[in-house]
Each structure stands twice: as C-alpha cells, then as structure tokens.
C-alpha cells in the first residue's frame, strides 16, 4: 500500500568522511532512488531543528515519510543522506522509526534541512 503523495526521489548517500590535514572531508557520493512522501515542516519542527543546527540558521525544511531507512547527520561518519526535492538538496538531520508492527502503516519520519549550494556548485 502506497503512502499519500508517495513518489520516487533521488537520494545521495556518502561513504564515511574523515579529517585530512585538520579539515573535514565528506566521503564519496553515490545516487540512488527511494519512495517517499514529502510534506512541509511545521513550526514545531523548525523549533527542534534550530536547537539541533549547531548555530546555523534553518531557512527551509521538509518532513520525509518513507519505508526506507535513511542515515541521519551526526549518527555516523557518513554525515547524513541528502534528498533531492524540487531541485534542492536536503540534509537529513533528525528522524525516527515509526514502525508499530502494523503492515502497511510502518514507516520512518525524518526532518531534512535545505543545503545552500557551495561555491563549487554555484548559486
């Protein structure tokens, strides 16, 4: 059974990163697809994300509902999965397992923050 508004989206996963000469370097990126429903973040989500964002200002966030387990930033050396939504990259920064043992209802819910393009990617 599909989730409401579910569609196929690009997902970027990264191998483990590490420090090189004192600077963090992300791992290699690879792109796959997964099925998810994207919803706008709520005010409470922004309040939670501001507390998690280590002093960074959160300008745009989304909720992701999926049956696919994603990597959350800070949980591993991979620095979190990136989800492409409407041409923007969103970093998965929080999430939880909403699997309650009911077939067709089990899913994961994540919060993701839009990433600004780096100088290398352009504006």
């Amino acid at each position: 059974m599909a989730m409401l508004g579910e569609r196929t989206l690009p997902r970027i996963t990264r191998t483990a990163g590490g420090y090189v000469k004192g600077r963090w370097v992300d791992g290699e990126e690879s792109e796959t697809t997964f099925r998810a429903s994207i919803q706008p973040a709520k005010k409470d989500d922004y309040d939670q994300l501001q507390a998690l964002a280590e002093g960074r200002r959160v300008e745009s966030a989304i909720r992701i509902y999926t049956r696919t387990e994603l990597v959350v930033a800070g949980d591993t050396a991979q620095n979190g999965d990136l989800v492409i939504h409407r041409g923007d990259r969103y970093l998965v920064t929080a999430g939880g397992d909403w699997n309650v043992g009911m077939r067709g209802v089990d899913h994961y819910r994540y919060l993701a923050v839009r990433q600004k393009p780096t100088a290398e990617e352009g504006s």
Side-chain angles (χ1 to χ4, degrees):
M1 179 164 71
M3 286 188 266
L4 183 63
E6 184 179 44
R7 61 188 167 170
T8 301
L9 296 166
R11 169 189 177 193
I12 298 171
T13 57
R14 295 180 270 193
T15 60
Y19 287 96
V20 176
K21 297 182 181 179
R23 297 185 73 116
W24 178 260
V25 177
D26 284 329
E28 295 294 316
E29 293 184 351
S30 63
E31 186 172 314
T32 59
T33 60
F34 75 115
R35 305 267 312 152
S37 175
I38 304 293
Q39 305 295 323
K42 297 181 179 181
K43 181 190 178 311
D44 291 344
D45 296 331
Y46 280 95
D47 292 342
Q48 177 186 354
L49 289 169
Q50 294 294 358
L52 295 173
E54 296 141 359
R56 288 180 267 168
R57 182 180 169 103
V58 176
E59 295 178 2
S60 179
I62 56 174
R63 281 185 174 196
I64 302 168
Y65 296 91
T66 182
R67 289 186 181 86
T68 303
E69 188 171 8
L70 303 177
V71 177
V72 176
D75 284 356
T76 70
Q78 290 175 267
N79 197 25
D81 284 345
L82 295 162
V83 175
I84 310 300
H85 174 61
R86 295 184 176 169
D88 290 321
R89 292 165 60 122
Y90 286 83
L91 176 65
V92 177
T93 56
D97 182 348
W98 284 47
N99 293 315
V100 293
M102 296 175 59
R103 189 171 162 217
V105 178
D106 290 343
H107 65 281
Y108 298 92
R109 186 187 84 173
Y110 297 98
L111 295 175
V113 177
R114 185 170 59 88
Q115 300 292 286
K116 292 183 179 180
T118 63
E120 297 167 354
E121 295 169 341
S123 301

